[in-house]
Amino acid sequence: MARTVGSHGPKTMEAIRKAGLKLIHEHGYEAMTLRQLAAEVGVQVGSLYNHISTKQDLLYDLIKTHMDALFAELAKVEAKTAGQGPVERLKAFIFFHVTYHILRKREVFIGASELRSLDPNHYEDIVGLRRQYEKRLMAILDDGRAQGLFQIPDIAVAAYGILAMLTGVCTWFRPSGRLSREDVAQVYCDMVLRGLVPDSQLSDTCSLR
Amino acid sequence: MARTVGSHGPKTMEAIRKAGLKLIHEHGYEAMTLRQLAAEVGVQVGSLYNHISTKQDLLYDLIKTHMDALFAELAKVEAKTAGQGPVERLKAFIFFHVTYHILRKREVFIGASELRSLDPNHYEDIVGLRRQYEKRLMAILDDGRAQGLFQIPDIAVAAYGILAMLTGVCTWFRPSGRLSREDVAQVYCDMVLRGLVPDSQLSDTCSLR
Amino acid sequence: MARTVGSHGPKTMEAIRKAGLKLIHEHGYEAMTLRQLAAEVGVQVGSLYNHISTKQDLLYDLIKTHMDALFAELAKVEAKTAGQGPVERLKAFIFFHVTYHILRKREVFIGASELRSLDPNHYEDIVGLRRQYEKRLMAILDDGRAQGLFQIPDIAVAAYGILAMLTGVCTWFRPSGRLSREDVAQVYCDMVLRGLVPDSQLSDTCSLR
Amino acid sequence: MARTVGSHGPKTMEAIRKAGLKLIHEHGYEAMTLRQLAAEVGVQVGSLYNHISTKQDLLYDLIKTHMDALFAELAKVEAKTAGQGPVERLKAFIFFHVTYHILRKREVFIGASELRSLDPNHYEDIVGLRRQYEKRLMAILDDGRAQGLFQIPDIAVAAYGILAMLTGVCTWFRPSGRLSREDVAQVYCDMVLRGLVPDSQLSDTCSLR
DNA sequence: AATGAATGAGCATTCATTCAT
DNA sequence: CATGAATGAATGCTCATTCAT
């Protein structure tokens, strides 16, 4: 495709990453071939190996880079809300998570759906990071419950549910849609926070058993 | 593996489906090879073609069968709650969705993550079914909003969020865990319903902008 | 090349072995490609893998088969001369070794020159067999020395020297040449036996030091 | 390996030759890659081409250099024994050949086993030199036979046999072994000379036919 | 001289699929 | 129905070689 004639040096690596992101998102890691990748970059297949050591390594590189960026951004948000109450911190977390997942939908999608294609060592590495990320949310939920603000029967289940809901955004969100990034974040923020407060009159009636 | 020596007749097709479900869940459709499949069934590769017409067709068959079963079960639940109010119908939907997704986690996982491997015709077919399923939930939400029971700024966004949360269960649920299927359904049922009721005092404060 | 249309079953494996022997002898194991091999057999490259598991395995198979045949033939010769004196047994060994190495020059050449291309396990295996073969000669030399028939300062060095001399035959022998197989065997038999007898008047003068 | 950081000038060419000798001896010419060679030298692959014109040319260079050295050394020995009798000249040849082949075992091994990897022109060139070398031995044997000192039914066969025996030394000789270079030369010298003298009583009995 | 990136051909191996037996 | 052998295209990766810097 876009044959960047004479593209050299670090530019090529950047082009490989970008093209890899696109193609893995479109076809999946297993289905993407290095010939496709090379064509997209505008380079011969063999040349890829001046920049990556292995197809598997490219996948790990993309996912790891994404995870590192995710943590770096989360750290900024946490710094800004340090010392505030659980509600404020949860709001900040939700806004961050939703907007980040909309902006980086390809990285996020790959980081979740291609985990199984990582070889064992890389897999453990990334899954470890994902668990850390989940724990950052759990810590907020735990705080809120301890302060009597949230009613949460099981912290982990709640966290998994919230993350799944928020992350789902990168599957269906279209920039051209009715709602903006912030609108969506706001809608989910409301829904989640209401879902955690104890005094809703409907809650205790919810049983089919 | 389970070498069903001398497996004959319709048993073989059933063994293929079962093994296919397992292997696609483990490795993904692209990564599963017919040689793996044949070995798992205890048959030579060529013999598979007495039962399936193509690898792609096996995938479609598995997903379509799953979707049909999903709709059949949903129909039963809807029949049982026909005429009841939105809250009761939503509770029923959530319980059904969660428990079904726990029981059929492999089918569900494949039905979502391998969509992209379907060829165009099959893809349209299945995506159409998935949209119908989403609409069944949206109908309940719409009803509840019309009756002033739910506060929902955007029906589609809410539905996607709820489905993502509930479906996530098939990623992390372990039968040996703390909570039973019904416990998890109850937790999510409470969280979702509270999230939709209008009078929570925190809801209007949720803004970082 | 010789496209044996519809060649099936064990015939193909035999054709692969034969072609492999020829091509490895001509080009060396590393330099032979499976495309060459397939063309020689008259088959597609992929089809080779219905019969061999790996290029490396073909090499091992060829060498191992050769070594087994070598030992089987040697056993016959040893059986025929069992109970005879060292001189007779040595003569028999030399005749056997020379004629066998002329008749099976390709197998012998490969079995010596491609050892280094065997992977470690296979290498150890084959080298072990070669050592056993050398020991069969050493046993004869040892016997002869014990009975005072041979004058041998170092059994191993003598054995290596004799084997190298005899084996060299497969490098230069041409069936169309002046001497027949038996002629060559006779010449080497004479030379080796004279080389081992104690009373030659020249032997003790051989020193440059 | 031995990363000669910043190796410059003619030193690099010498390092390439040395590393090439080592790697070809270890892996064979076809199996040695220029990447291995570059790594061994401590240089990037591209840099090799400032010193060699082609992989093939390196091989030829190594073998030709070896052959030239071999002839140069042989010339010295011949000069020293010029005018002496065949027995003395043969002893000198054997001592020279054995000790040279022990000292330069890698060059010798490559010069024999990688002939087939030379392209046609180079091949003819080197094979011609090898024939000349063989003829130097044949000349001695011929002289000895003419003077009635040696009993040799076929000069060429005898020469090939003797050379194979002596050359074999570079396959098994270890400096740490029981025998020194000179010991081995002595053993072979005795064996060969005895093998050529006419009056051994065993010689005429050597027949199995 | 040395480097790093590029090339294009080639490699061993695997794949889904076909088909005579 | 099952099998084993065949096909032909494709895959990830490596190679010797080139060349601008």
Side-chain angles (χ1 to χ4, degrees):
Chain A
M1 206 161 279
R3 171 169 277 269
T4 321
V5 188
S7 78
H8 288 315
K11 279 183 213 163
T12 304
M13 183 60 218
E14 211 35 59
I16 291 174
R17 254 204 211 89
K18 197 170 156 187
L21 224 38
K22 180 187 162 196
L23 292 172
I24 296 177
H25 183 244
E26 271 172 36
H27 308 292
Y29 169 78
E30 296 276 358
M32 176 194 74
T33 75
L34 293 190
R35 276 157 183 82
Q36 286 177 306
L37 184 62
E40 182 83 20
V41 173
V43 115
Q44 293 301 114
V45 192
S47 306
L48 294 174
Y49 285 86
N50 289 321
H51 306 278
I52 65 173
S53 59
T54 220
K55 189 189 176 191
Q56 165 72 214
D57 245 58
L58 173 61
L59 177 61
Y60 176 68
D61 176 74
L62 290 175
I63 297 183
K64 184 62 161 54
T65 300
H66 155 59
M67 290 304 291
D68 289 347
L70 180 70
F71 272 99
E73 291 300 314
L74 176 60
K76 287 188 203 164
V77 171
E78 289 179 333
K80 225 182 285 181
T81 57
Q84 303 189 14
V87 171
E88 288 310 313
R89 279 155 57 214
L90 180 56
K91 286 179 190 172
F93 182 93
I94 293 172
F95 260 81
F96 159 70
H97 189 94
V98 170
T99 53
Y100 189 93
H101 278 61
I102 285 176
L103 281 169
R104 296 262 175 270
K105 54 184 287 189
R106 292 192 309 199
E107 287 88 338
V108 164
F109 184 79
I110 292 171
S113 64
E114 303 296 350
L115 281 186
R116 117 185 103 188
S117 293
L118 289 170
D119 62 26
N121 284 345
H122 289 158
Y123 180 85
E124 290 306 330
D125 188 6
I126 299 297
V127 165
L129 292 175
R130 290 175 65 92
R131 288 220 180 95
Q132 280 185 42
Y133 187 79
E134 292 160 1
K135 282 190 180 150
R136 307 286 257 265
L137 171 58
M138 292 186 202
I140 299 175
L141 298 183
D142 221 20
D143 253 28
R145 181 165 69 173
Q147 299 184 20
L149 296 168
F150 301 154
Q151 173 185 336
I152 302 175
D154 189 295
I155 295 284
V157 169
Y160 293 151
I162 292 169
L163 284 172
M165 170 182 279
L166 303 181
T167 300
V169 97
C170 67
T171 301
W172 54 263
F173 184 87
R174 298 284 170 272
S176 55
R178 271 189 314 279
L179 274 52
S180 72
R181 274 201 315 271
E182 282 81 10
D183 291 339
V184 174
Q186 184 68 55
V187 167
Y188 281 159
C189 191
D190 288 353
M191 199 151 66
V192 167
L193 274 162
R194 274 199 227 106
L196 300 177
V197 300
D199 58 352
S200 175
Q201 79 279 17
L202 283 164
S203 67
D204 47 3
T205 73
C206 183
S207 172
L208 272 181
R209 283 185 283 183
Chain B
M1 208 158 281
R3 173 167 278 267
T4 319
V5 189
S7 74
H8 291 313
K11 281 184 208 162
T12 304
M13 184 60 216
E14 209 36 57
I16 291 174
R17 253 203 210 89
K18 196 170 157 187
L21 225 38
K22 181 188 163 195
L23 291 172
I24 297 178
H25 183 244
E26 269 171 6
H27 309 294
Y29 170 78
E30 296 277 358
M32 175 195 75
T33 75
L34 293 190
R35 275 154 184 80
Q36 286 176 304
L37 185 62
E40 182 83 19
V41 173
V43 113
Q44 291 303 112
V45 195
S47 307
L48 294 176
Y49 284 86
N50 290 318
H51 305 276
I52 66 173
S53 61
T54 217
K55 189 189 177 191
Q56 166 71 215
D57 246 57
L58 174 62
L59 176 62
Y60 177 67
D61 176 73
L62 290 175
I63 298 184
K64 183 63 162 53
T65 300
H66 155 60
M67 290 304 291
D68 289 347
L70 181 70
F71 272 99
E73 293 298 314
L74 177 59
K76 287 189 205 164
V77 172
E78 287 179 336
K80 224 182 288 180
T81 57
Q84 302 188 13
V87 170
E88 288 310 314
R89 279 156 55 215
L90 180 56
K91 286 178 190 172
F93 181 93
I94 294 173
F95 261 81
F96 160 70
H97 189 94
V98 169
T99 53
Y100 189 93
H101 277 62
I102 284 176
L103 281 170
R104 297 263 175 268
K105 55 184 287 190
R106 291 193 308 199
E107 288 86 337
V108 164
F109 185 80
I110 292 172
S113 64
E114 302 297 351
L115 281 186
R116 121 183 101 186
S117 293
L118 288 170
D119 61 27
N121 285 344
H122 290 157
Y123 180 84
E124 289 308 329
D125 188 6
I126 300 297
V127 165
L129 291 175
R130 290 172 66 90
R131 285 217 183 97
Q132 279 185 41
Y133 187 79
E134 291 159 4
K135 282 191 179 149
R136 306 286 256 266
L137 171 59
M138 290 186 202
I140 300 173
L141 298 183
D142 221 20
D143 253 27
R145 179 164 72 173
Q147 298 183 23
L149 295 168
F150 301 154
Q151 175 185 333
I152 302 175
D154 189 294
I155 295 284
V157 169
Y160 294 150
I162 291 167
L163 285 172
M165 171 182 280
L166 302 181
T167 301
V169 98
C170 69
T171 301
W172 55 262
F173 184 87
R174 298 285 171 271
S176 55
R178 270 190 314 280
L179 274 53
S180 72
R181 273 203 314 273
E182 283 80 12
D183 291 339
V184 173
Q186 184 67 57
V187 166
Y188 281 160
C189 190
D190 288 352
M191 198 151 68
V192 167
L193 275 163
R194 276 200 226 106
L196 299 177
V197 301
D199 59 350
S200 174
Q201 82 279 16
L202 282 163
S203 67
D204 48 3
T205 72
C206 181
S207 171
L208 272 179
R209 283 185 284 182
Chain C
M1 207 160 279
R3 170 169 277 268
T4 321
V5 188
S7 78
H8 289 313
K11 280 184 211 161
T12 305
M13 184 60 217
E14 211 33 61
I16 291 174
R17 253 203 210 90
K18 197 171 157 187
L21 223 38
K22 181 188 163 196
L23 291 172
I24 297 177
H25 183 245
E26 271 172 36
H27 309 292
Y29 169 78
E30 296 276 357
M32 175 195 73
T33 75
L34 293 191
R35 279 158 181 79
Q36 286 176 306
L37 184 62
E40 183 82 20
V41 174
V43 115
Q44 292 301 115
V45 193
S47 305
L48 295 175
Y49 284 86
N50 289 320
H51 306 277
I52 66 174
S53 61
T54 218
K55 188 188 176 192
Q56 166 71 214
D57 243 58
L58 173 62
L59 176 62
Y60 176 68
D61 175 74
L62 290 175
I63 297 183
K64 182 64 162 53
T65 300
H66 155 59
M67 290 303 291
D68 289 346
L70 180 70
F71 272 99
E73 292 299 314
L74 176 59
K76 288 188 203 165
V77 172
E78 288 179 336
K80 224 182 287 183
T81 58
Q84 304 188 14
V87 171
E88 289 309 314
R89 279 156 57 216
L90 181 55
K91 287 179 191 170
F93 182 92
I94 293 173
F95 262 80
F96 159 71
H97 189 95
V98 170
T99 52
Y100 189 92
H101 278 62
I102 285 176
L103 282 170
R104 297 261 175 270
K105 53 183 289 190
R106 293 192 307 199
E107 286 88 336
V108 164
F109 184 80
I110 292 171
S113 64
E114 302 296 350
L115 280 186
R116 116 184 104 189
S117 294
L118 289 170
D119 63 27
N121 284 344
H122 291 158
Y123 180 85
E124 289 307 329
D125 188 8
I126 299 297
V127 165
L129 291 175
R130 291 175 65 92
R131 285 215 183 99
Q132 280 186 41
Y133 187 79
E134 293 160 1
K135 282 190 180 150
R136 306 287 256 266
L137 172 58
M138 291 186 201
I140 300 174
L141 299 182
D142 221 22
D143 253 27
R145 181 165 70 173
Q147 300 185 21
L149 295 168
F150 301 153
Q151 174 185 335
I152 302 175
D154 189 294
I155 296 283
V157 170
Y160 294 150
I162 291 168
L163 284 172
M165 170 182 279
L166 303 181
T167 300
V169 98
C170 67
T171 302
W172 54 262
F173 184 87
R174 297 285 171 270
S176 56
R178 270 190 315 280
L179 275 52
S180 72
R181 273 201 314 270
E182 283 80 10
D183 292 339
V184 174
Q186 185 67 57
V187 167
Y188 282 160
C189 191
D190 287 352
M191 198 151 67
V192 168
L193 274 161
R194 275 200 226 105
L196 298 177
V197 302
D199 59 350
S200 174
Q201 80 280 16
L202 284 164
S203 69
D204 48 3
T205 72
C206 182
S207 171
L208 273 179
R209 281 186 281 185
Chain D
M1 211 156 280
R3 173 168 278 267
T4 321
V5 189
S7 75
H8 292 313
K11 280 183 210 163
T12 304
M13 184 59 215
E14 209 35 56
I16 290 174
R17 251 204 213 88
K18 196 170 158 188
L21 224 38
K22 181 188 164 196
L23 291 173
I24 296 177
H25 183 242
E26 270 171 5
H27 308 293
Y29 170 78
E30 295 276 359
M32 176 194 75
T33 76
L34 293 190
R35 275 153 184 82
Q36 285 178 305
L37 184 62
E40 183 83 19
V41 174
V43 112
Q44 292 303 113
V45 194
S47 307
L48 294 174
Y49 285 86
N50 291 319
H51 306 277
I52 67 175
S53 60
T54 217
K55 189 189 176 191
Q56 166 72 213
D57 246 57
L58 173 63
L59 177 62
Y60 176 67
D61 175 74
L62 289 175
I63 297 183
K64 183 62 160 57
T65 300
H66 155 58
M67 290 305 291
D68 290 348
L70 181 70
F71 272 99
E73 291 299 314
L74 176 60
K76 287 189 204 165
V77 172
E78 289 179 334
K80 226 182 285 182
T81 57
Q84 302 187 14
V87 171
E88 289 310 313
R89 278 157 55 216
L90 181 55
K91 287 179 189 170
F93 182 92
I94 293 172
F95 261 81
F96 159 70
H97 189 94
V98 169
T99 53
Y100 189 91
H101 278 61
I102 284 175
L103 282 170
R104 296 261 175 271
K105 54 184 288 189
R106 292 194 307 200
E107 287 87 337
V108 164
F109 184 81
I110 292 170
S113 64
E114 302 296 350
L115 282 185
R116 119 183 103 185
S117 294
L118 288 170
D119 61 27
N121 285 344
H122 290 157
Y123 180 84
E124 289 308 330
D125 187 7
I126 299 297
V127 165
L129 291 174
R130 290 174 66 91
R131 287 219 179 94
Q132 279 186 41
Y133 187 79
E134 292 159 3
K135 283 191 178 147
R136 307 285 258 265
L137 172 58
M138 292 186 201
I140 299 173
L141 297 182
D142 221 20
D143 252 28
R145 180 165 70 173
Q147 299 183 24
L149 294 168
F150 301 153
Q151 173 184 335
I152 303 176
D154 189 295
I155 296 284
V157 170
Y160 294 150
I162 293 168
L163 284 173
M165 171 183 280
L166 303 181
T167 301
V169 97
C170 67
T171 300
W172 55 262
F173 184 87
R174 298 284 172 271
S176 55
R178 271 189 313 279
L179 275 53
S180 72
R181 272 200 317 271
E182 283 81 10
D183 291 338
V184 174
Q186 184 67 58
V187 166
Y188 281 159
C189 191
D190 288 353
M191 199 150 67
V192 168
L193 274 162
R194 276 200 226 104
L196 299 176
V197 302
D199 60 350
S200 174
Q201 80 280 14
L202 283 164
S203 67
D204 47 3
T205 73
C206 183
S207 171
L208 270 180
R209 283 185 284 182

